Amino acid sequence: MQYRTLGKDLKVSAIGLGCMGFSHAYGAATEKSEAIKSILQAVDIGYNFFDTAEVYGTADDPHQNEALVGEALKGCRDRVIIATKFGIHFDMSSPQVNKPLVPDSRPEVIRKSVEDSLKRLGTDYIDLYYQHRPDPKIPVEEVAGVMSDLIKEGKITHWGLSEADEKTIRRAHAVCPVTAIQNRYSMMARWHEKLFPALEELGIGYVAFSPLANGFLSAKYDKNPSFDKTYDYRSNMPQFTEKGIEQNATLLELLAKIASEKNATSAQISLAWMLCKKPYIVPIPGTRKLERLRENAAAADVILTPDEVNSIDKALDGMEMSEVFGGTKVV
């Protein structure tokens, strides 16, 4: 595994593991022992960067994912970087599978969240603590002030913002230096590339979630994928519809062609494209399978030249694609 530095000094594996899918959004939760086994296999492969959140869980256990990650990593806590998030809850009155998000970053709520997350994770500090979504009711400067206090208290060591725009990032960074943003990013979701100049100016890392467009860019799905309509967000995603798959045929063909030339897989090319674009980008694909953990980790060894990256960008710019899932509605 190769490693990268987020912000000034947070050294993480070039590929992180998004742990959400063990408990949330991608079908029924994985059986606990199997999930722990997968996380420990990731450690053995060389992953040291594990991402979770206080709201990743099930209806019966809304915070399951943090507890799972904490239990899995308790024996190697000094060798891993744990990222978690605060500042939202779900609108449980909604009938949708991907229930709307309700932001809440009041200082007293953050204080309770960090204490609860520390307990569930079984640790006395969090390596990277993200505001999960901006809260329009609470100035980000106030949130950054709380983060500064938590760093002084030793409860967190670094902080970040998820799905934040440039103005919000600059305002937050001016109060308490931001180590990383965590925003959606993939070949099908490139709207945050406009943030690159600001991130470079401020020395902030970019943690890319959904780097495979919720798995679509792995090219593992046929024309009629079947997803659980109760627990699986993909059942609602436009890229997985029959029409969407047809619209994205050219993209999958491009990936397959480059993968053949590089002796790699489509998923590896999708990840290598962003890794080779910027040295501060760290994708965090999720998976429950050992073979996918190995495949994703090996993407860091696939080299695309600057000319090859630019060529891919130009092809993507002129390519017809379906809409792609852009995130759960915030209310």
Side-chain angles (χ1 to χ4, degrees):
M1 179 68 78
Q2 298 182 27
Y3 295 85
R4 297 188 162 200
T5 301
L6 297 174
K8 289 184 178 180
D9 60 3
L10 190 62
K11 186 176 180 181
V12 299
S13 47
I15 306 286
L17 180 60
C19 296
M20 178 184 74
F22 290 117
S23 309
H24 181 81
Y26 288 91
T30 308
E31 197 277 323
K32 181 179 176 181
S33 64
E34 284 301 308
I36 289 174
K37 179 181 177 182
S38 294
I39 292 170
L40 290 176
Q41 286 171 331
V43 174
D44 289 341
I45 290 168
Y47 289 81
N48 84 331
F49 188 30
F50 297 87
D51 183 87
T52 182
E54 66 175 346
V55 294
Y56 296 160
T58 65
D60 294 333
D61 188 355
H63 312 294
Q64 181 191 70
N65 204 247
E66 280 189 329
L68 173 70
V69 170
E71 183 170 347
L73 297 176
K74 61 185 178 183
C76 52
R77 179 66 185 96
D78 60 337
R79 295 188 285 123
V80 298
I81 302 298
I82 296 176
T84 192
K85 311 176 195 74
F86 66 89
I88 61 169
H89 60 268
F90 291 106
D91 176 4
M92 298 307 293
S93 67
S94 170
Q96 295 176 286
V97 60
N98 51 332
K99 300 185 186 306
L101 307 176
V102 182
D104 189 351
S105 285
R106 289 173 292 167
E108 63 271 26
V109 172
I110 297 173
R111 283 282 178 180
K112 183 176 189 311
S113 288
V114 73
E115 296 297 343
D116 290 346
S117 289
L118 288 168
K119 289 176 184 176
R120 285 189 291 265
L121 289 165
T123 184
D124 55 7
Y125 68 96
I126 293 164
D127 299 284
L128 182 52
Y129 200 39
Y130 297 105
Q131 183 185 31
H132 209 149
R133 291 292 184 275
D135 184 344
K137 301 183 296 297
I138 306 295
V140 73
E141 291 86 352
E142 190 170 348
V143 175
V146 178
M147 296 300 106
S148 180
D149 290 341
L150 292 177
I151 290 170
K152 291 173 185 174
E153 295 164 20
K155 292 179 179 178
I156 69 173
T157 61
H158 306 77
W159 86 289
L161 300 159
S162 183
E163 291 287 76
D165 60 20
E166 181 178 343
K167 183 178 179 181
T168 302
I169 293 166
R170 288 186 179 278
R171 287 169 54 197
H173 189 75
V175 176
C176 182
V178 173
T179 291
I181 64 164
Q182 184 181 134
N183 284 15
R184 185 179 302 275
Y185 188 46
S186 73
M187 287 184 172
M188 296 184 74
R190 298 171 60 205
W191 47 82
H192 290 305
E193 288 183 347
K194 62 188 176 184
L195 294 175
F196 290 168
L199 298 180
E200 289 162 14
E201 174 194 338
L202 300 173
I204 296 172
Y206 190 141
V207 176
F209 75 85
S210 295
L212 299 177
N214 306 98
F216 182 83
L217 297 176
S218 67
K220 305 292 185 184
Y221 298 89
D222 59 28
K223 287 189 176 181
N224 295 290
S226 178
F227 300 114
D228 187 321
K229 295 185 183 299
T230 303
Y231 299 111
D232 200 322
Y233 284 20
R234 289 170 296 184
S235 64
N236 246 352
M237 294 183 185
Q239 66 266 38
F240 289 105
T241 63
E242 184 174 354
K243 180 181 178 182
I245 291 172
E246 290 175 1
Q247 288 176 306
N248 298 322
T250 302
L251 173 56
L252 295 184
E253 288 169 5
L254 174 67
L255 281 172
K257 177 178 180 294
I258 300 170
S260 177
E261 293 169 354
K262 295 290 183 178
N263 192 29
T265 67
S266 292
Q268 288 171 336
I269 297 302
S270 299
L271 297 171
W273 164 78
M274 63 179 70
L275 287 168
C276 294
K277 180 174 286 197
K278 299 292 182 182
Y280 52 82
I281 295 178
V282 176
I284 51 168
T287 185
R288 307 184 190 198
K289 299 178 180 179
L290 175 59
E291 60 267 30
R292 294 286 86 78
L293 284 171
R294 289 173 173 157
E295 177 183 351
N296 293 341
D301 299 320
V302 178
I303 301 302
L304 298 173
T305 67
D307 285 345
E308 288 172 328
V309 171
N310 289 335
S311 177
I312 292 171
D313 284 350
K314 287 179 182 178
L316 296 174
D317 288 340
M319 191 178 292
E320 179 190 3
M321 298 182 197
S322 74
E323 291 185 2
V324 64
F325 181 68
T328 303
K329 180 181 178 182
V330 177
V331 297

